[in-house]
Amino acid sequence: MKMKIAYLTLFAGLALVSTPARADKLVIKGSDTLGAKLVPQLAEQFKAQKPGTTFDIAAEGSTTGIAAIIDGTAEIGMSSRRAKSAEVAAGAAKGVNMKPTIVAYDGLGVIVNSANPIKGLTKKQVEQIFTGDVTDWSAVGGAGGKISIYTRNTSSGTYSDWKELAMKKRDYAPSSQKMAGHEQIAAEVGKNPNGVGYVGLAYMKAAGIKVVAIDGQMPSQSAVINKTWPYARPTFYYTNGEPHGLAKEFVDFTIGSTGQKIVDRVGFVPIKAVK
């Protein structure tokens, strides 16, 4: 009997030694603005400092990130817009306290195909183009050609931010084509000589496009910092109340010195730079 017990004890000990430790996993969902470039780079650096951490990052639009916090399927929801009152109420009905943390600032800019002779537009012309009041490039000083508009999809915070910032809350032109992300908008504009769209600061160096001056000014980190760029906005992490555990560690890392250096390097504006 003693031999049998000793054998079982030894077997159990070997099983414990051979079983790998469970990795810490953080689920992050939401904004493409943050999730396509910035958050993956933050995650890589975080993993380098805390080996064994894994991330599940889904960048499908701010609305999906806020919904994921409400239904409890993510620890962090990325968003390029503030939660709507209806979303806050829906969360409260489920006992969820929608807590925003600003993690970076961004500036949106108008892009056209690199072959387009247009160099600049006015804010009024931008509104006219995206609402469909103007449908041909010749009406805004360009060569003739029907304007092809590329926007984010309706689950995107950028989709609603652009309506707020550039279109006086008016509807998009019925002919506008909805894209899944900033990179997709840039790719389509880069292929279409008559294309126009908008992207964030981190996405303005894509092949085949050029950024258009607005009222004589170009989008830049400094223009956002100095509050002279009309299409600037904060970006957020949403959590259910104060974050805790691994989510808190990652939020603190993002807004800390190392994370904010990555924010700057990727092309966003660090939070302390905007006052």
Side-chain angles (χ1 to χ4, degrees):
M1 179 64 70
K2 288 182 180 178
M3 289 181 63
K4 186 174 182 181
I5 292 171
Y7 175 79
L8 289 173
T9 303
L10 177 62
F11 179 81
L14 289 172
L16 286 171
V17 170
S18 61
T19 302
R22 185 183 68 82
D24 287 322
K25 182 179 180 180
L26 185 59
V27 180
I28 304 175
K29 297 181 179 181
S31 166
D32 169 82
T33 300
L34 294 174
K37 285 189 176 183
L38 176 58
V39 171
Q41 292 194 36
L42 288 165
E44 286 303 311
Q45 184 60 42
F46 185 86
K47 286 192 290 184
Q49 295 183 11
K50 188 170 183 177
T53 307
T54 61
F55 286 83
D56 181 355
I57 301 171
E60 298 172 339
S62 299
T63 299
T64 65
I66 291 171
I69 298 303
I70 295 171
D71 63 26
T73 58
E75 285 80 49
I76 295 175
M78 305 174 287
S79 184
S80 63
R81 63 167 175 82
R82 292 191 181 274
K84 299 173 183 176
S85 57
E87 292 168 327
V88 173
K94 293 187 174 183
V96 173
N97 174 23
M98 300 293 293
K99 183 184 186 304
T101 299
I102 296 176
V103 296
Y105 288 85
D106 190 22
L108 297 171
V110 177
I111 58 169
V112 297
N113 186 276
S114 56
N116 192 322
I118 285 284
K119 289 185 173 60
L121 295 166
T122 66
K123 285 189 288 186
K124 181 63 178 176
Q125 288 172 328
V126 170
E127 177 192 342
Q128 291 172 326
I129 287 170
F130 283 92
T131 57
D133 290 345
V134 166
T135 58
D136 196 282
W137 283 113
S138 59
V140 290
K146 182 176 174 57
I147 299 172
S148 296
I149 303 167
Y150 298 96
T151 78
R152 289 296 315 281
N153 56 35
T154 55
S155 67
S156 160
T158 304
Y159 177 90
S160 56
D161 278 349
W162 191 249
K163 287 180 70 172
E164 179 91 18
L165 295 169
M167 299 166 60
K168 296 180 181 176
K169 301 182 181 180
R170 297 175 61 196
D171 289 332
Y172 285 91
S175 63
S176 61
Q177 301 173 66
K178 297 175 177 62
M179 301 287 113
H182 293 255
E183 292 174 322
Q184 289 77 11
I185 290 177
E188 292 302 318
V189 172
K191 292 186 292 187
N192 185 344
N194 290 318
V196 65
Y198 49 76
V199 294
L201 290 171
Y203 304 89
M204 293 180 180
K205 296 181 179 178
I209 67 168
K210 67 179 182 182
V211 182
V212 176
I214 306 300
D215 287 334
Q217 182 181 200
M218 294 291 284
S220 66
Q221 288 174 304
S222 62
V224 173
I225 292 169
N226 295 325
K227 299 183 178 180
T228 60
W229 187 246
Y231 311 131
R233 74 286 177 59
T235 62
F236 307 88
Y237 287 167
Y238 271 90
T239 53
N240 180 5
E242 291 292 338
H244 58 273
L246 192 60
K248 175 175 171 50
E249 290 183 47
F250 189 68
V251 172
D252 289 346
F253 171 79
T254 298
I255 63 177
S257 59
T258 301
Q260 290 296 292
K261 286 177 183 175
I262 296 171
V263 164
D264 181 55
R265 187 180 72 222
V266 173
F268 290 80
V269 177
I271 50 180
K272 289 185 178 178
V274 179
K275 300 182 180 174

